[in-house]
Amino acid sequence: MLDIAIIGAGPAGLAMALRLHQQGFRPTIYETVQELKPLGVGIDVKVYGTKELIELGVYDKFVAMSVDAEDSIFFNNHGQEIYAEKCGVHMGYVHEQRFVHRGYLQMMLFETVVERMGAETVVQGARLMEYRNIDGGVEFDLQHADGTVETKRADLLIAADGIKSVARRQMHPNQAEPVYSGITMYRGTTLMEPFRGGHTILHIGAPQIASMIVYPIAEDFEGTGKVLVNWVVERERDQTVEDWNQVGSVDEILPYFDTVKIPFLDVQQMLRDNREVYLFPLIRHEPLDSWSDGRVVLIGDAAHAMYPRGGNGACQAIVDGGVLAGNLATMPVEEAVAAFEQARIPRVNAMVMAHRGEGYEVIRRMVAERTGCEPFEDIEEVLPLAEADAIFSKYHSMVGQPRPGFEAGEPTGFRTWQVEANA
């Protein structure tokens, strides 16, 4: 039985532990914070992410805390609709796409780890300082909350320690310093009445000015009868620190959405009614050619931090765990890690680069460029439905969820007003 240590009790590390437990291993997780709390805002869990959570045996818990995604609608900076598509099972996929609060998802995975493996599985208040490969294993130093340093040994060290990974910095010192993209994200939540039935994600604005994404992450939040809505705004500004919990203000972004008029959503009021606002810079972590060093292997953001666009960062981190755990159950450690890298690095690095290019969100930039950010008369003359369909299908295929019907020539996107007129 391998002695496996995991650094980090975020979704990546916790899902990794659950996957290992399914394969008969008993890993130990070491987490920097002294007490895990449900921090963060929303995550858009794609269909393949839901599949992973089903296989982890937490689907019912996940459904109870999340929102089924039905429609995804794109608008320009004047609130004019430019494209729409169905989501998850409503598109024809086998699994749902769901929206969830990152902190609640993390705590659910943490509680599941404790239920299945015991509270001693997660050691909190233990920060990784350094690792050293030794014959047949790895030694690593942990600094505890009281300042004491303890040296541990394991057969394998799995670093799921996030965007500021200590293991990544030691493994790749020449690629340790990320580069600011010039864009900062404002991430917040608002408690409000549901819009469009409470199962829609909105993509709003011209990226040349500012861009917004809005979606619900909890229904009947804390018994209020209202939904908790997650919103994210991107705009260019001076660099801020790379910290998910850096507090911001909507006063800096309200003017960018003065022209947005959407019949079912007052964007300005939603921003003013926020419960919390956090700043986070879009930082470029260059793709790595290797995620391992001897008996140490990186997963999740430590291995492939990507712009938080398109909902693939957290989902790909969870996929990492299933692939690596399956390899470890059937191969010697070195072969398992090598096979994991071979299977994952090319695919995920391609996603990292694609997210820098906006992914399918590029259609809003295209419309803005073709109209000079002015209102249009007919969207079909600006961005034909077939052209948008091709862009979306290429992106969905790249992330591992080809759109049902596209190869057969069936339209996969639509205009909501046409659907509603024919209903």
Side-chain angles (χ1 to χ4, degrees):
M1 179 62 65
L2 291 175
D3 181 3
I4 301 175
I6 299 171
I7 303 299
L14 294 165
M16 181 79 253
L18 291 171
R19 281 296 198 181
L20 288 168
H21 184 253
Q22 287 178 331
Q23 298 291 353
F25 298 105
R26 302 283 297 188
T28 300
I29 304 174
Y30 298 96
E31 165 58 41
T32 297
V33 303
Q34 295 186 58
E35 181 183 0
L36 287 176
K37 296 180 180 180
L39 301 178
V41 281
I43 296 178
D44 178 2
V45 179
K46 300 303 188 184
V47 294
Y48 69 89
T50 299
K51 175 178 178 291
E52 293 289 324
L53 294 171
I54 290 171
E55 293 176 0
L56 283 173
V58 297
Y59 175 71
D60 289 344
K61 294 179 180 179
F62 173 55
V63 167
M65 68 173 58
S66 60
V67 179
D68 179 35
E70 183 172 343
D71 291 316
S72 180
I73 311 177
F74 295 74
F75 298 88
N76 68 1
N77 55 303
H78 297 280
Q80 293 177 291
E81 182 182 322
I82 60 178
Y83 185 76
E85 68 169 347
K86 289 293 183 179
C87 303
V89 294
H90 308 283
M91 168 71 81
Y93 292 113
V94 175
H95 302 103
E96 301 142 288
Q97 177 180 337
R98 301 192 70 89
F99 308 130
V100 70
H101 191 294
R102 179 201 177 278
Y104 296 169
L105 176 65
Q106 179 184 11
M107 296 308 295
M108 181 270 285
L109 293 172
F110 169 65
E111 291 164 3
T112 304
V113 166
V114 171
E115 288 171 5
R116 296 180 185 178
M117 290 177 268
E120 68 278 5
T121 301
V122 184
V123 179
Q124 302 185 59
R127 179 189 301 273
L128 175 68
M129 303 297 290
E130 183 184 19
Y131 70 79
R132 295 172 296 279
N133 278 294
I134 58 175
D135 186 27
V138 58
E139 284 185 347
F140 54 101
D141 299 330
L142 298 170
Q143 183 178 52
H144 294 282
D146 61 4
T148 61
V149 176
E150 178 184 17
T151 298
K152 291 282 190 178
R153 184 193 183 284
D155 297 312
L156 177 66
L157 181 68
I158 301 173
D161 49 345
I163 54 175
K164 295 185 177 180
S165 170
V166 172
R168 175 184 173 129
R169 181 173 291 272
Q170 180 177 339
M171 193 179 296
H172 297 282
N174 296 329
Q175 293 177 272
E177 297 301 327
V179 177
Y180 178 50
S181 68
I183 298 173
T184 290
M185 303 178 72
Y186 296 69
R187 301 171 63 92
T189 60
T190 300
L191 188 62
M192 57 188 289
E193 296 295 332
F195 57 83
R196 290 195 86 251
H199 297 273
T200 300
I201 179 170
L202 308 177
H203 313 252
I204 304 167
Q208 297 91 326
I209 301 171
S211 180
M212 175 186 290
I213 295 175
V214 184
Y215 56 89
I217 56 175
E219 298 174 298
D220 188 23
F221 184 69
E222 295 182 345
T224 60
K226 298 182 178 181
V227 297
L228 185 65
V229 169
N230 176 82
W231 51 262
V232 183
V233 171
E234 290 187 14
R235 62 165 285 232
E236 294 184 358
R237 61 157 286 168
D238 296 336
Q239 184 173 359
T240 59
V241 297
E242 192 175 20
D243 179 358
W244 284 114
N245 299 310
Q246 181 183 186
V247 176
S249 169
V250 296
D251 293 339
E252 299 176 17
I253 55 177
L254 279 168
Y256 293 100
F257 299 95
D258 284 342
T259 62
V260 175
K261 306 299 179 184
I262 297 175
F264 55 81
L265 177 66
D266 186 334
V267 170
Q268 294 261 338
Q269 193 63 49
M270 178 191 70
L271 293 174
R272 292 191 190 97
D273 291 343
N274 72 84
R275 300 174 73 247
E276 56 199 336
V277 183
Y278 300 106
L279 295 181
F280 190 78
L282 288 185
I283 297 294
R284 292 177 179 167
H285 294 266
E286 294 304 320
L288 302 174
D289 294 330
S290 171
W291 296 348
S292 67
D293 174 19
R295 292 296 185 97
V296 182
V297 60
L298 309 175
I299 68 168
D301 281 351
H304 46 75
M306 62 183 75
Y307 286 2
R309 292 171 169 165
N312 289 293
C315 293
Q316 288 298 321
I318 295 173
V319 172
D320 285 344
V323 176
L324 183 55
N327 289 354
L328 289 168
T330 58
M331 307 175 191
V333 174
E334 291 82 359
E335 291 181 22
V337 170
F340 168 69
E341 290 184 299
Q342 184 177 8
R344 298 290 294 147
I345 289 179
R347 183 182 192 89
V348 181
N349 281 355
M351 291 187 201
V352 171
M353 299 307 295
H355 279 64
R356 293 183 185 180
E358 299 178 308
Y360 53 56
E361 297 289 353
V362 73
I363 66 167
R364 288 187 290 118
R365 182 179 296 278
M366 292 167 62
V367 169
E369 290 172 349
R370 294 175 184 181
T371 62
C373 295
E374 295 298 323
F376 54 76
E377 292 294 330
D378 184 355
I379 184 58
E380 193 65 21
E381 293 180 358
V382 179
L383 181 69
L385 189 63
E387 183 181 0
D389 267 352
I391 292 169
F392 274 70
S393 293
K394 179 180 178 180
Y395 179 83
H396 286 310
S397 294
M398 183 194 68
V399 300
Q401 49 183 58
R403 301 175 93 190
F406 181 76
E407 293 299 328
E410 300 172 12
T412 49
F414 61 96
R415 316 294 192 193
T416 62
W417 67 84
Q418 294 175 344
V419 172
E420 290 166 0
N422 295 328

